[in-house]
Amino acid sequence: MAVDTSEVMITQEQIEKMLEDVSSRINRDYEGKELIVIGILTGAYIFTADLTRRLNMPVNVDFMQVSSYVGTESTGELKIRKDLTVDVKGKDVLVVEDIIDTGRTLALLKDVLYKRGAKSVKLCAAFDKPDRRVNDLVPDYCGIVIPDEFIVGYGLDLDGQFRNFKDVRIVR
Ligand code: IMP
Ligand code: MG
């Protein structure tokens, strides 16, 4: 049976409001500073574009493609498929993610960025599913907290599909 994506969870208007909320907090916190924004591919490509266009400070935007995989250890390991081109050493870094689920990916990435000498690493996610967390990771900037449902749209996919939806829909 084909997947059903007819139920909208988050409308375009709610996404607009989320962008205003998150960007104004970031603008306030980083006033007078420079920021390296790291968008996490592929899911965060739309959020990164929308968010960075609302930021007022000088920003250097780069992308990484990472995932966590869990072997015998519950924390897992970070797999880097595409690495940064910028050097984060001594820089203030903001990681922009589409959604936080278990929290493994961002916890591991944060460690890697600090090991590379970043001055500060903060985490920003458009959506958060705290019910699914396996660690104590809390995003510094969170757009919208959602229940434990699988969602697509606004960059998020199911097997590479549905990223282009302008709103966020539940997969049934
Ligand atoms: P985690 O926080 O390490 O478990 O991984 C988060 C990643 O899992 C996200 O960046 C997404 O790629 C993916 N993911 C988690 N929940 C969803 C969802 O509801 N829809 C689409 N992708 C999801
Ligand atoms: Mg992702």
Side-chain angles (χ1 to χ4, degrees):
M1 207 186 87
V3 285
D4 177 1
T5 57
S6 58
E7 190 180 335
V8 174
M9 181 192 273
I10 302 164
T11 63
Q12 275 182 263
E13 291 70 27
Q14 287 172 300
I15 291 172
E16 281 293 315
K17 188 184 170 297
M18 176 276 283
L19 287 164
E20 284 305 317
D21 287 350
V22 173
S23 62
S24 61
R25 279 150 59 204
I26 296 170
N27 279 327
R28 201 182 51 219
D29 292 354
Y30 290 92
E31 204 187 328
K33 294 185 177 176
E34 283 178 30
L35 192 56
I36 292 190
V37 173
I38 303 178
I40 304 304
L41 296 172
T42 302
Y45 76 112
I46 294 175
F47 182 44
T48 305
D50 282 350
L51 183 69
T52 51
R53 282 180 291 177
R54 287 174 169 80
L55 298 182
N56 302 325
M57 75 294 293
V59 292
N60 189 340
V61 183
D62 202 355
F63 289 92
M64 266 181 114
Q65 191 160 29
V66 295
S67 56
S68 66
Y69 63 96
V70 185
T72 48
E73 220 185 317
S74 74
T75 52
E77 268 183 70
L78 191 71
K79 177 162 186 163
I80 301 177
R81 291 176 187 276
K82 183 213 170 284
D83 209 334
L84 294 171
T85 52
V86 296
D87 186 359
V88 297
K89 198 165 180 168
K91 303 288 171 74
D92 291 310
V93 174
L94 181 69
V95 176
V96 176
E97 177 63 300
D98 53 356
I99 187 167
I100 309 179
D101 187 39
T102 64
R104 284 193 182 100
T105 312
L106 285 190
L108 293 163
L109 179 60
K110 197 173 177 176
D111 263 17
V112 166
L113 295 171
Y114 272 121
K115 280 185 186 134
R116 291 182 183 182
K119 181 161 101 190
S120 70
V121 181
K122 287 196 181 181
L123 307 176
C124 174
F127 311 111
D128 188 10
K129 285 199 271 199
D131 295 346
R132 300 254 311 156
R133 204 75 92 249
V134 299
N135 53 27
D136 58 4
L137 186 110
V138 179
D140 301 278
Y141 305 98
C142 171
I144 299 173
V145 173
I146 65 160
D148 183 10
E149 299 270 13
F150 197 86
I151 57 171
V152 292
Y154 198 65
L156 290 100
D157 74 309
L158 173 66
D159 295 334
Q161 277 197 82
F162 314 123
R163 294 192 196 276
N164 55 322
F165 289 172
K166 289 178 181 160
D167 49 18
V168 169
R169 290 156 183 260
I170 302 174
V171 175
R172 299 271 186 225

